[in-house]
Amino acid sequence: MLNRSWSDACAVVLVEDLSQQRLPARWMAAALRQAGLSARLVHCGSAADAGALPARLHALQPRLVVLSLLFGHLLDVYLGLAARLRSESGAWHLTLAGPLPALDPARFLTTCPALDSVVCGEPEAVLPRLAARLVDGADWRDVPGLAWRSPDVRVNPPPWPALDLDNLPEPVRDDGIPQFQGVGFATVEGSRVCYHRCSFCLPCAHHRDVVGAPYRLRSIPNLVDEMERLYARGVRLFLFDDEQFLPPQPLRAERVRGFADELRRRRMHIAFTIKCRADDVDADLLRRLQDVGLIRVYLGLESGCPETLERLHKGVTVTQNAAALATLDRLGLVADFRCLIFHPWSTLATVAREIDFLATVLPLVPTVVTYCETVCYAGTPMHAELVPAPANAAVNPTDGGVVYEIGDAAVEWLRCRARPVIAAQHAPQGSAARVTRAWYDLLLSQRFAPTPDNDRAALALRRRVLALNAAMLDVWRALLPGVGG
Ligand code: SF4
């Protein structure tokens, strides 16, 4: 730990959309504090938030401002904020962190002169070094894992070895424990990186190709220690943000058993959600997790079309996807998933196959199926596969992906026509969000304060969702004449 004193009111300010309850800035702040540097989290989730930030930062006078970009849709807001912060003061170092800039730092440093650097390596390893240099007035340009201008963009090799997750301090939660329907909830992470290679996946491309860090797990005692401390602060709902909650074989059964045993031993009565792939849905393992509080599974299903699964390098089959939904339905676990209905190689036939697949599995689906365009991020394998490769293609300010046209003109036309439908579905008060909230209400009640009405309410909700999903399929059929049904 550094033992330093300086006059700054706060050495580092980390800007992130804190309302998302994600962990990146929270991990970064924890690592900075562990290194003896003062660090403060500041929320920015909209242009209005960004407008109020310069005055706040002037009051704090940090040496380093970290803009932690969670999602592409805030790209314009964060780059606009960087420009404004630069024009108002030259005193602070402005850096941008997140998988999107880390995979394509040259683009960001070239198009946004306000930025001094981009964090490419694991931020918890990069930022304490960078902040310490800045506070000491020392040269920062050789900090490992940093991209900077010289005037050409240079990317320093990442810090090595990769971080041991058990040595990381717990994420900072200065803003308290958020509540949903009177239940405290928190996002947690038991592992980092994914061991699969889907071609569109931004976080995995970032870790694999830029950070160079392997898949890592926290030990069960280390993970459950943090959960227990959060439990003492009132958290009962844990949202696991691991790309894959289940580790690869042969670790899987042992990990699940150890986790469940530890929760039982500590008498923690909790609810939790996980993310996993269709080919990881194993009834025995999920039942064991369900016994200790698993209520909901975010399933990386993506598609019910064999050509699309192949194109996206998902490594699963349509049969496995359908079987996963059937297993989750049988277990009574609520499954959420999305359908990547459009991608650069979509044809009318691939779209029709998605609709056919969904029509088949709809009775097994308890939540609103959300339809998405596959975002193509620069630096991902999907981007490399685009022909012609749009090396200098514009970035879409609404999602941070490169702008592409679907090769099949009829599908491109369909994509444009479908956009308002998809946007309505994804709106904050859209059907998907309302059903998500309704399920959380019900599942938390079932877990913590069951009533005789729970089963009836669940059945009614499922019926409403079935009607909503069926109506959406009708919309697709109307948009796409000739689709069976
Ligand atoms: S399984 Fe999920 S997290 Fe892993 S590479 Fe594929 S999309 Fe990314």
Side-chain angles (χ1 to χ4, degrees), residues 265-344:
R265 193 178 68 75
R266 302 190 196 203
R267 300 181 190 284
M268 291 169 62
H269 185 59
I270 63 167
F272 64 98
T273 68
I274 63 169
K275 296 191 268 185
C276 80
R277 287 163 52 100
D279 52 346
D280 293 339
V281 170
D282 172 309
D284 288 342
L285 292 182
L286 292 182
R287 204 176 287 115
R288 269 186 241 168
L289 292 172
Q290 199 175 14
D291 287 344
V292 289
L294 177 63
I295 56 170
R296 193 163 192 159
V297 175
Y298 291 88
L299 195 62
L301 191 143
E302 327 294 9
S303 169
C305 165
E307 291 88 348
T308 295
L309 290 171
E310 178 86 9
R311 256 298 177 190
L312 302 181
H313 303 195
K314 268 308 288 186
V316 292
T317 63
V318 175
T319 307
Q320 285 173 310
N321 280 347
L325 288 171
T327 301
L328 292 168
D329 181 60
R330 209 169 52 247
L331 292 172
L333 282 167
V334 170
D336 290 80
F337 69 94
R338 63 179 182 168
C339 170
L340 294 176
I341 196 158
F342 295 119
H343 55 75

Side-chain angles (χ1 to χ4, degrees), residues 81-94:
L81 174 62
R84 192 161 158 214
L85 290 173
R86 175 60 63 224
S87 70
E88 293 191 4
S89 165
W92 39 51
H93 180 111
L94 283 175

Side-chain angles (χ1 to χ4, degrees), residues 217-419:
L217 286 162
R218 292 171 73 180
S219 67
I220 292 293
N222 177 272
L223 169 63
V224 184
D225 280 353
E226 183 194 356
M227 293 175 68
E228 193 173 30
R229 277 188 274 276
L230 289 166
Y231 191 81
R233 292 175 68 184
V235 173
R236 293 295 178 271
L237 172 61
F238 292 86
L239 310 170
F240 276 91
D241 205 23
D242 307 48
E243 302 297 348
Q244 297 299 322
F245 179 82
L246 295 168
Q249 299 290 20
L251 305 173
R252 202 167 282 174
E254 177 60 23
R255 176 87 174 169
V256 166
R257 190 192 56 70
F259 180 66
D261 286 353
E262 200 62 23
L263 289 177
R264 280 201 197 89
R265 193 178 68 75
R266 302 190 196 203
R267 300 181 190 284
M268 291 169 62
H269 185 59
I270 63 167
F272 64 98
T273 68
I274 63 169
K275 296 191 268 185
C276 80
R277 287 163 52 100
D279 52 346
D280 293 339
V281 170
D282 172 309
D284 288 342
L285 292 182
L286 292 182
R287 204 176 287 115
R288 269 186 241 168
L289 292 172
Q290 199 175 14
D291 287 344
V292 289
L294 177 63
I295 56 170
R296 193 163 192 159
V297 175
Y298 291 88
L299 195 62
L301 191 143
E302 327 294 9
S303 169
C305 165
E307 291 88 348
T308 295
L309 290 171
E310 178 86 9
R311 256 298 177 190
L312 302 181
H313 303 195
K314 268 308 288 186
V316 292
T317 63
V318 175
T319 307
Q320 285 173 310
N321 280 347
L325 288 171
T327 301
L328 292 168
D329 181 60
R330 209 169 52 247
L331 292 172
L333 282 167
V334 170
D336 290 80
F337 69 94
R338 63 179 182 168
C339 170
L340 294 176
I341 196 158
F342 295 119
H343 55 75
W345 304 277
S346 291
T347 63
L348 291 177
T350 63
V351 175
R353 277 189 200 106
E354 301 293 1
I355 307 304
D356 289 346
F357 170 77
L358 290 169
T360 311
V361 298
L362 225 48
L364 305 171
V365 178
T367 55
V368 171
V369 179
T370 50
Y371 297 87
C372 303
E373 300 180 26
T374 309
V375 180
C376 180
Y377 294 105
T380 58
M382 171 182 271
H383 183 237
E385 286 175 23
L386 279 182
V387 178
N392 296 310
V395 169
N396 187 337
T398 61
D399 58 28
V402 299
V403 175
Y404 66 82
E405 273 201 9
I406 297 175
D408 183 323
V411 187
E412 179 60 32
W413 177 84
L414 177 66
R415 173 166 78 147
C416 295
R417 280 191 78 190
R419 275 194 177 131

Side-chain angles (χ1 to χ4, degrees), residues 9-340:
C10 176
V12 185
V13 166
L14 300 122
V15 179
E16 192 178 271
D17 182 354
L18 299 177
S19 69
Q20 297 294 327
Q21 298 298 327
R22 301 293 289 271
L23 295 178
R26 298 172 191 278
W27 283 116
M28 294 177 213
L32 286 158
R33 289 181 188 175
Q34 187 183 48
L37 295 146
S38 59
R40 190 174 296 202
L41 297 173
V42 172
H43 169 66
C44 179
S46 67
D49 293 336
L53 273 187
R56 189 135 179 237
L57 264 58
H58 277 298
L60 292 169
Q61 284 298 311
R63 273 302 288 124
L64 171 62
V65 177
V66 182
L67 304 176
S68 170
L69 185 67
L70 293 177
F71 305 113
H73 74 270
L74 284 175
L75 184 59
D76 268 8
V77 171
Y78 276 39
L79 294 186
L81 174 62
R84 192 161 158 214
L85 290 173
R86 175 60 63 224
S87 70
E88 293 191 4
S89 165
W92 39 51
H93 180 111
L94 283 175
T95 195
L96 186 63
L100 185 59
L103 260 183
D104 196 11
R107 181 193 294 262
F108 285 87
L109 287 168
T110 306
T111 57
C112 184
L115 292 171
D116 294 297
S117 62
V118 166
V119 178
C120 294
E122 285 191 287
E124 300 90 343
V126 176
L127 290 175
R129 292 176 167 109
L130 174 62
R133 299 278 183 92
L134 291 168
V135 166
D136 287 344
D139 188 11
W140 50 268
R141 288 170 184 80
D142 62 347
V143 168
L146 203 65
W148 53 287
R149 266 183 241 96
S150 164
D152 294 336
V153 173
R154 296 191 184 191
V155 183
N156 299 339
W160 196 256
L163 294 166
D164 178 339
L165 301 185
D166 277 4
N167 290 338
L168 278 179
E170 288 170 17
V172 163
R173 300 179 201 263
D174 296 342
D175 45 345
I177 300 298
Q179 304 277 316
F180 179 80
Q181 305 293 7
V183 175
F185 69 94
T187 305
V188 285
E189 224 173 51
S191 63
R192 204 169 270 193
V193 201
C194 172
Y195 42 93
H196 295 283
R197 302 177 75 88
C198 306
S199 66
F200 57 91
C201 185
L202 176 67
C204 291
H206 169 227
H207 272 279
R208 188 181 57 239
D209 300 337
V210 181
V211 175
Y215 172 78
R216 282 152 294 161
L217 286 162
R218 292 171 73 180
S219 67
I220 292 293
N222 177 272
L223 169 63
V224 184
D225 280 353
E226 183 194 356
M227 293 175 68
E228 193 173 30
R229 277 188 274 276
L230 289 166
Y231 191 81
R233 292 175 68 184
V235 173
R236 293 295 178 271
L237 172 61
F238 292 86
L239 310 170
F240 276 91
D241 205 23
D242 307 48
E243 302 297 348
Q244 297 299 322
F245 179 82
L246 295 168
Q249 299 290 20
L251 305 173
R252 202 167 282 174
E254 177 60 23
R255 176 87 174 169
V256 166
R257 190 192 56 70
F259 180 66
D261 286 353
E262 200 62 23
L263 289 177
R264 280 201 197 89
R265 193 178 68 75
R266 302 190 196 203
R267 300 181 190 284
M268 291 169 62
H269 185 59
I270 63 167
F272 64 98
T273 68
I274 63 169
K275 296 191 268 185
C276 80
R277 287 163 52 100
D279 52 346
D280 293 339
V281 170
D282 172 309
D284 288 342
L285 292 182
L286 292 182
R287 204 176 287 115
R288 269 186 241 168
L289 292 172
Q290 199 175 14
D291 287 344
V292 289
L294 177 63
I295 56 170
R296 193 163 192 159
V297 175
Y298 291 88
L299 195 62
L301 191 143
E302 327 294 9
S303 169
C305 165
E307 291 88 348
T308 295
L309 290 171
E310 178 86 9
R311 256 298 177 190
L312 302 181
H313 303 195
K314 268 308 288 186
V316 292
T317 63
V318 175
T319 307
Q320 285 173 310
N321 280 347
L325 288 171
T327 301
L328 292 168
D329 181 60
R330 209 169 52 247
L331 292 172
L333 282 167
V334 170
D336 290 80
F337 69 94
R338 63 179 182 168
C339 170
L340 294 176

